[in-house]
Every structure is written in C-alpha cells, then in structure tokens.
Amino acid sequence: MAPQPVVTGLSPKEGPPGTRVIIRGEFLGTKPTDLIGLKICGSDCLLSAEWVSPNKIIARSGPAKGVGDIIVTTRSGGEGSSSVKFRAIGNHEIIGPLKESAVWIDEAPSQNFAWGRRTLVQSVLTQEDPLGLSTEGNEQKNVENLRELFPNASGDLLQENFSPALFLLEKHSATTFADLKAGLNYLNRKVESQKEGQLSFLKSNAGSVIDQLDTLMNIRDKLQEDNKLYGSEPLNVLEQEIENSISKSENIFTDVLVRKEKADSTRAVLLALSRHKFLFCLPNSVEKKAAAGEYDIVVNDYARAKSRFGKTEIPIFRTVMEEVDQRILQIRKQLHEKVIKMPQSVEQQRKLIKALISLEVQQSGSSLNEKSRNVDPAWDAIDARAKYLEQTFKQTFELYASKDAPGAEKTKNRDINQPPNRVTFCEEICEIAASQLPDLWRLGQMYFTGELRGPNDPRPGDFKRMILNAVEKFCIYLKVAMCTTDSEARALRQSVGLIWPIAHGSHDVFKSWLPQCLRYTRITYATLISLDLPSAVLDIVQKFIDETRMHCFSNIFERATQKCSKLTDLETWEMGVEDFPGATLLPQRLEELLIETLDEAKQACINPEIREGNLLESESDGQREVSLRLQKLLLCFCDVIQDLAFNSHKEETPTHNVSQLLGYPNNQSSGPASGRFASLSSTTAITWEQRMLCCLANCAYCNRSFFYRVGKLFERYGYPLPSLAIETARYSVNKLFSNVLDAYVEHKGDPLVGTIEPSMYLGGFQWDVEMPIGNLRPYAHECCDNLVGVYSEIFTISPALLRSILEPIVLTISEELARLMSCVPQFSYSGAIQANVDIRLLRDTLRVYTNETGRNYFLEALEAINPPLNAEQLKQADEILERVKSRMKLQLMCFFVKDP
C-alpha cells in the first residue's frame, strides 16, 4: 500500500466559499482516478477537485466556516493528514474595503457606493433600518407576486428605482400603523440632524475655506498684471517671437548646410561605385561560397543585393540581378537535395533549411520562384527523416531475421551465454529508436515553433501521424521478434504480415532473454518520455511494455512450474517440519523456489518504472494472470506428491499383513524407528507404506498451513492475495489426500479384515458347541496385534494421521464382525459369553477411533448373539473381560493415548 497523503502547503490559506485553493503536498495520488476524497474544513470538495500531479491538487472551498484541516483520501494510500490549516470565511462574515483579508474578495455586489443624496457609506455595511424599527417577524413572503406588482421598482434604498411602497411591503408588512408613524418621525429627525451636520462641517473647517478663497484672489491678480503688460492677446505676441527665432537660425546655418550637401553627394558617388563592384562580382561569388558550404555568406550577399538593386530600373543592373537569381535558384535546388539526403545530423539539416528558407524569402518576388513556391524544405526534411527511420527499422529486421532463416549459415559451437539474434536485434532497434526518434521530434518542434517554417502553412496532423506510425512500426518489429509461442507468431503474421523464422526449440531459449529485451525497451521508453511526446504516442509503447512485462511474468512462472515438476527427483524423504511431523522438506523446497521466482519477477517486470501501469491492479488481467500461474504451479506440486505416492519405485511390491494363524508370518512393513518421528535416511530403502504416509502428511500439511503461507508470501512481496488459486490447490490436495488415504487403507485394512473369518473358524470351530472360556479367541488377539502394528507404523511417521487412517479400518472391522455374528444361527452357553467378551474388548479398545457408524456395527454384533446373555452370563463375561484387559494392558495402551 502506498504512503498516506500529506498536505504541506496551501495558497491561499483563507477565503469565502468558492475560493480557488492550490493544495501542495506528497503522495496526493498516482493518477486522477486514485483521488477518492477531499475535505476542506470538513466540507466535501471532491467534485471541484482537479488532480494535477502527485504533489498538487486544485479545488474550490465549500460552504464551511472557521479553521480546519485539508484531508486528502486516495485509493492507494487511504486517508491522509495535513500540516497546514485553511480559514473558511462563512456567509455570516462580511468583508469590506476597510477590513484586512489575505485573499481577494469579490466586491461586485458590495462596491456600489452611495453618492449624491445618499450617505457616503458602503451599502453592505448599512444594517440599520431607516425607520429605526425592528424587522423581526416581517419575513418576505410572496416575493414573486410583489415583483409582478412592481416590475420596474426596487425595495433597496441605494437603487435609483427605489420604491417606498415596495420597501414597506417587503420589510414592514407586519408592522402596525402606529409604529410606521413613529418610524416617520424618526426619519424626519434624522434628516434634520444631517442638515445641521453640514453647517457644523463648515464651521469646523473655516480655516481651509478662507485659504482657498485667498488662492483664488491671487490667481485673479496675476491675470490682471499679464493683461496690462502683454495686452489682451498674449498668445499672438508669443507666436511672433517664435517665428523671428526660426528665421534668424536659418540665416546662421545656411553655409553649414550647403557644405553638408556637397559632402553627402561625394560619399554617395563613392558608395555607388562600391555597390557596382559588389553587384558585378556577385554571380561568381555566390557559387564559390555555396561550393565551400558557406551558405550564411551567400544569404547575406544576396540579401544585400536584393535590398539595393531589387527594384532598380537601370538595365545593366537588372541584367546582372537576373543572372544572380538564376544562380541562386540552382543553389536552392542543390540545398534541397542535401536537406533530404540521409543520414545526417539535425544541426546540419537545420543549417541547410534556414539557408533555403532565407533564399526563398529573398527570391519570393522573382518570376523564377513561381515554380518552387510550393516547396517546403523543413517539411521535406521531416518527411525524409521519418522515411529513413522506417527504412532503417525494416533493414535491421530483415538483416537479423535472415540470420535465423532455415538456409542461413549457423555458427558452430555457439556459446550458450551468447544472446540469440532476436535479442541482439531488440538491442539494435531500441538504440536506433532512442537516437533517431528524438532527432525527428526536435526537427518537428523547430518547424512548428516557427524557427524553420517557411511561407507555407504547417501540417501538425501529418507530423503526428508520422510519429505515431514510426512508434507503431517500432513496437510491431519488437513484438514480432519477442513472440514466445508459435500461435502468437502465426497471429502476428496474419495481422502485420511479418514473421521471424523460428527454429525448433528456440522459443525456450529466448524466454530466458525476454527480461533483457524488456530492459532495452524500457531504456528507449525513458528517452521518449523525456521528449514530452503526445500521450497517444507514449501510450503505444506503454501498452507494449505492459504486455511484455506480463509475458515475462508468465515465462518466469512457467520456468518455475517446470522446476517444480522436477522436485520428484529431489525428494530425500527427510522429515524436517516441526509443526507437522511426517511432512518432508518437499514443501520447503517449493517455498524456496517460490521466493526465488517472486524475487526474479519483482526485479524483472512487476515493479513499474516511469509512466508504466500497475500490473496488479484490482480486477486486472495481471491479477488474473498471477492467480492462474500460481494455480498451475500449486497443481503441479500436487502432481509431484501424487507421482511420489503412486508412481515412484513402481517395481516395489507393497507387503500385506497375512494371518499368522493361517501359516504365514505377519511381515510388518516397518519396525519401530530408532527415535520418534525420526527422518528416513536417504541411505535406507524407504518402504511403500512409509512413502505413502509421508505423502499423506505432505498433503495434510499443505492443506492446513503451507498453502496459507504461500498466500502470505505473495502479499509480502506486494502481490494481491491469490485466494482462488489457493482454494483450487487446497481442493486438489484434499482430493489427492483422499485418494492416497483410500489406497493406504485398502492396502492395510482389506488383508486385516480378510483374516478375521478364517481365523475365527480355524480348526473347525463352531459357536454352538461348548468351549473353555477365560481368554480371548485367537482371531481377536490377531486383530489387536495387526492394529497395533498399523498404529506403530503410522505413529512412527506422522501421529496426526492416526485418526484419518485407523477410523476407516476400525469401521471395516466392526462391519465384518457384525456380518459374521449375524450369520451364526445359535450360540452355546459358553460361546455366547466368549463372543460377548471378544466383541466388547475390541469395541472398548478401539473406541477412540470408532465413529458413530462403527459403534452401531459393534452394537449390532452384540445384539446378534442368540440367545441373549442373561444376568449370570453377563457377570461372568465382565469378569473375564477385566482379566483379559489386565493381561493385555501394555499391548492395548497405545489405543488409549489421546490423538495428537
């Protein structure tokens, strides 16, 4: 999550509602849509907010009052804070010309001052009613009706169309007549007091009035003295004096002026001689200077000649000027050819274009210029540079693509660390774009700013299409070279008509170089951003970079998935998970692989650089791709566990528990371990049963905690939580757990249950025959022994699996006992006691791992004993059961340990 917004500056810091406020700070949002809230003094101002940059927002204050904070809320950083405060001037507070304020107040409605018959007081400060009456209870009602009655009148005292009747109806509609009479008396007294005030004003300023009268009298005396000295018309006398001065000055300077005219004539003759020499030498001079590349001198000499002899009527001069025009026209043609000849630097083109434009302007009045007046050298230079750029792209593509063509010569013993031709092409074309596109853009800017513009009108639309076309071609060539699948290459061939010849297996080699190609493209993109290109141009490259970033991410996770599929060969069956005994180090290896993959993806493509989008935005294609790739990786890990459980060491035949009573040894697949939960040594051959138990433990560990750790790992690296991928993987691993569990239970339970009936009737035993009682029947002993063996095997590997495995086995045993007991038609006296003891011992011993269905089967087996036991038989059975339990206490103790 991005840092919280912080407001550090305001301009202005106070103002009435609607004040335009410039807010400055940090982390004010990454783009306009990121800004989701703005409050000024508690007033919501989001509708008027204009996001300018992450450090600047412009808004207008709302209807608030007092001093408050500016709170900015962004989608990426949440609600922010403010280190400065804004003072809102409410509607109740009136700002006049005499009150200090830090902002400009709109005085349109308040700067009409009353002149003439009204007092010199601002209208907005006039709060007192002219009648001296209170206006409470005189709210204006039916204002629209009053306006219809007085269409051209106003109730405002300061307006020219003031109407007393409308004023009384608006302000005193509820005032009594007696109060109105009192108000009239008040108004009369106020008028009389103002008249008295004028007389008092004169009295208090009598000194100033007398000084003004003295000044006026002095002015009158001076005027009378001037009339006595100069008569009644002093201006005529002044005019006569000025004319006399002019006449005397002309007489004094006549000789000087004559000598000056002679000197000027002499100089003019000498200058004319110099001009003639320059003109006659000009045709040869301009050719020599043009051949030497000194176009500035050519332009200056031709400009001098045009200014001096361009409109001459002398035949010899006109003949020479026509020859000069012919030479200049040839020079212009040569310059135009040089301008469009590529490659050359922008400065060289600029120099040639400026010379061409200057010559064209000087020759614009000539008839020879009519043929070339539609030629625009600057635009032709721009067009030539754009075509040269596209041609360079095409030639570079064809050059490197031909190296991978089927008939091309291949370098023998190619170094695997040497980049493929496609990578070299990406580097080359990015360098071309980074060097030539800025030149094209700078040349265009010189043209449109007027520096290189001639008499023709500019064509901005055509230039924008040139830039767009060049950038689109650049991205197309990169996209064709950087495709990583055959289907993508075929689609590009159909859409753009280009294809890069791909050898078999070269896609896999190129995928590892794709981040390097992305780095080349990003460097070029940074160069283009510095040029201040239009957004439409930059968006093309940004879209391509975002697509390439997503391809890089997919390829990185695809390689991780391939590495995950090879974890089968790395399984050492070493158990090292402390919080889940039995789980091997296989999940830890997957976690290490994920950390390595996330680090690589973060550095290569996920972290956005300048003006790049966030691939992991909510509900974006990038977020869906992350979830899909993780889902494939985790499902591949589930396949690894499945392969280890079912397909590893196929030549190994799992051992089965066989009854000792039937003449076969009960070959347990695993004996007691040297230590509880000890790791299986890589030097010791692991049995099928141990491998199945480790796989079950891995499945349970993944479902219980490991997959959640994977989600937290993604969040720690800044990725969105891939809930769908994790839940899908948990579903798959649960399904795999069920399949492996069924296989293990079938392997352990079916032989065990299958030995109960043969062992029960071994030696021709019958339940309806009297027999000695006092111990368990051998079949019950063997059933307990086999279960102890299974328990020991599970407890040694992963005690957490005891209930999951033993519960279905016990259920099968109870069902088999119920079936066998229900098949016995009649029990003898002692047979009924013996069957009761056997079933009850098994039921009591296995009660921890017996579910509701199993308990019902045990009850069904007891109820199947016919005839039912009487009180004496039950007492005898209880005594025998207690003796048997006492003798088998050590053997049966494990079944009473609490399930971990």
Side-chain angles (χ1 to χ4, degrees), residues 546-601:
D546 289 344
E547 292 175 355
T548 307
R549 290 167 61 198
M550 188 56 61
H551 287 164
C552 285
F553 177 83
S554 301
N555 291 335
I556 290 171
F557 262 79
E558 185 178 346
R559 292 200 303 271
T561 304
Q562 293 174 357
K563 293 179 182 178
C564 178
S565 64
K566 299 177 182 179
L567 290 178
T568 307
D569 302 331
L570 302 178
E571 177 61 283
T572 60
W573 305 104
E574 179 181 356
M575 294 179 286
V577 181
E578 296 181 359
D579 54 347
F580 201 99
T584 66
L585 297 179
L586 190 65
Q588 180 179 342
R589 291 191 174 91
L590 176 62
E591 185 176 2
E592 294 171 355
L593 176 61
L594 266 175
I595 293 175
E596 177 186 350
T597 303
L598 291 175
D599 279 332
E600 182 182 359

Side-chain angles (χ1 to χ4, degrees), residues 364-519:
S364 59
S366 174
S367 60
L368 298 175
N369 194 52
E370 295 296 326
K371 299 179 181 179
S372 58
R373 63 180 180 179
N374 293 327
V375 176
D376 191 344
W379 181 256
D380 292 342
I382 293 172
D383 184 61
R385 186 168 286 278
K387 290 180 180 178
Y388 174 73
L389 177 60
E390 294 183 13
Q391 187 66 23
T392 306
F393 285 161
K394 182 179 179 181
Q395 291 176 355
T396 307
F397 178 82
E398 292 174 350
L399 174 65
Y400 284 95
S402 63
K403 296 181 180 180
D404 284 343
E409 296 183 1
K410 306 296 181 181
T411 304
K412 295 182 179 180
N413 301 324
R414 183 185 180 92
D415 187 3
I416 59 175
N417 296 323
Q418 183 179 358
N421 290 326
R422 287 198 281 172
V423 179
T424 310
F425 164 74
C426 292
E427 182 181 8
E428 181 71 20
I429 197 173
C430 286
E431 289 180 357
I432 293 172
S435 61
Q436 295 192 24
L437 267 174
D439 290 344
L440 177 61
W441 178 254
R442 284 197 296 269
L443 191 62
Q445 292 304 301
M446 295 177 188
Y447 174 69
F448 288 105
T449 55
E451 182 180 354
L452 301 180
R453 189 185 306 171
N456 300 316
D457 295 332
R459 291 179 276 184
D462 295 342
F463 180 68
K464 184 177 181 181
R465 282 191 291 272
M466 281 185 183
I467 297 294
L468 286 172
N469 186 54
V471 173
E472 286 175 354
K473 289 291 182 64
F474 166 68
C475 293
I476 287 173
Y477 285 125
L478 281 177
K479 187 177 295 185
V480 172
M482 293 166 63
C483 64
T484 56
T485 61
D486 294 335
S487 59
E488 185 180 357
R490 288 192 296 269
L492 286 172
R493 184 174 186 178
Q494 293 177 358
S495 60
V496 299
L498 295 173
I499 189 170
W500 191 286
I502 304 298
H504 179 70
S506 62
H507 279 316
D508 296 334
V509 177
F510 177 72
K511 286 178 180 179
S512 61
W513 290 91
L514 191 58
Q516 186 66 26
C517 296
L518 175 62
R519 172 52 45 197

Side-chain angles (χ1 to χ4, degrees), residues 222-275:
K222 290 290 184 181
L223 182 59
Q224 290 176 355
E225 290 178 3
D226 289 342
N227 288 337
K228 291 178 182 180
L229 293 175
Y230 304 105
S232 59
E233 298 294 336
L235 294 179
N236 295 334
V237 177
L238 180 61
E239 182 181 2
Q240 185 64 35
E241 293 296 332
I242 292 174
E243 291 178 354
N244 294 335
S245 299
I246 294 174
S247 177
K248 291 180 180 180
S249 62
E250 288 179 354
N251 295 330
I252 293 173
F253 290 99
T254 299
D255 295 336
V256 177
L257 294 175
V258 169
R259 290 194 298 271
K260 179 181 180 300
E261 289 178 359
K262 291 181 179 180
D264 290 342
S265 300
T266 303
R267 284 193 296 270
V269 172
L270 295 175
L271 185 59
L273 292 175
S274 176
R275 287 180 180 177

Side-chain angles (χ1 to χ4, degrees), residues 15 38 129 162 189 210 256 389 398 400 524 692 701 730 732 734 765 786 808:
L38 174 61
D129 186 77
F162 170 70
R189 290 194 302 271
I210 292 173
V256 177
L389 177 60
E398 292 174 350
Y400 284 95
T524 304
M692 294 288 280
Y701 172 60
R730 289 185 67 238
S732 298
N734 286 338
F765 173 80
N786 288 336

Side-chain angles (χ1 to χ4, degrees), residues 13 64 164 221 382 509 591 614 696 870:
K13 293 187 177 181
D221 295 340
I382 293 172
V509 177
E591 185 176 2
N614 184 8
L696 283 173
N870 55 31

